[in-house]
Amino acid sequence: MGLPLLGGIAGSVVTRKAVKEWYPTLKKPSWTPPNWLFGPVWTFLYATMGYASYRIFQQGGWEKQSMPLSLYLAQLALNFTWSPLFFGAKKLGLALVNITAMGVTVGATAHSFWPVDPLASKLLWPYLFWVSYATALNTYIYINNPPSSKKDGGDSNKSKAS
């Protein structure tokens, strides 16, 4: 259950400087949430996804639940790599591919959890909603913040003013 929370804490280390210095320079939509909201939302989401995975694990462990738990780990790996891609490497396009795959994988995870434990599946729904919202936000930012130079691979923004 603690793995998602630990990953979230590790991700916040990567994002801290970029959230203060780089992220404010990006052109973002009017529906961008305030920065203070991300911490509480992610704490809630990591706690609920951890509890959901615990409930699935309790139904036979890896031996009986290898598919749902493997999907869970796959989406968690995608989740843990998004912040380093977006905030660390500033690779907006690659982060968009990552978060799109994450959304599909979270949906597949929730779907695979349902026959085992419907509540565990429902616990992932707020996460799926937030990832969908974040995907739309990532898309907007990617489209509206063209790369600052060809040298950076055409995928990052170094100092675009908002």
Side-chain angles (χ1 to χ4, degrees), residues 9-71:
I9 291 167
S12 71
V13 171
V14 172
T15 65
R16 188 169 296 141
K17 184 177 178 185
V19 166
K20 290 179 183 173
E21 297 175 9
W22 173 73
Y23 190 66
T25 70
L26 298 175
K27 183 177 180 186
K28 296 180 286 298
S30 60
W31 41 269
T32 301
N35 288 347
W36 63 263
L37 187 61
F38 289 94
V41 167
W42 278 111
T43 299
F44 168 77
L45 295 174
Y46 285 135
T48 57
M49 73 172 84
Y51 181 57
S53 69
Y54 171 78
R55 290 180 62 94
I56 297 302
F57 188 81
Q58 291 299 101
Q59 301 300 315
W62 281 101
E63 187 176 308
K64 291 188 177 180
Q65 304 305 335
S66 60
M67 179 57 75
L69 292 172
S70 294
L71 285 167

Side-chain angles (χ1 to χ4, degrees), residues 14-15 23 38 42 76-92 94-100 102 134-135 137-138 141:
V14 172
T15 65
Y23 190 66
F38 289 94
W42 278 111
L76 203 57
L78 289 165
N79 180 301
F80 291 166
T81 55
W82 184 85
S83 287
L85 290 171
F86 188 90
F87 289 104
K90 299 174 181 62
K91 295 293 186 182
L92 305 178
L94 192 53
L96 180 56
V97 171
N98 173 283
I99 200 167
T100 301
M102 185 192 326
T135 302
L137 185 59
N138 192 153
I141 291 170

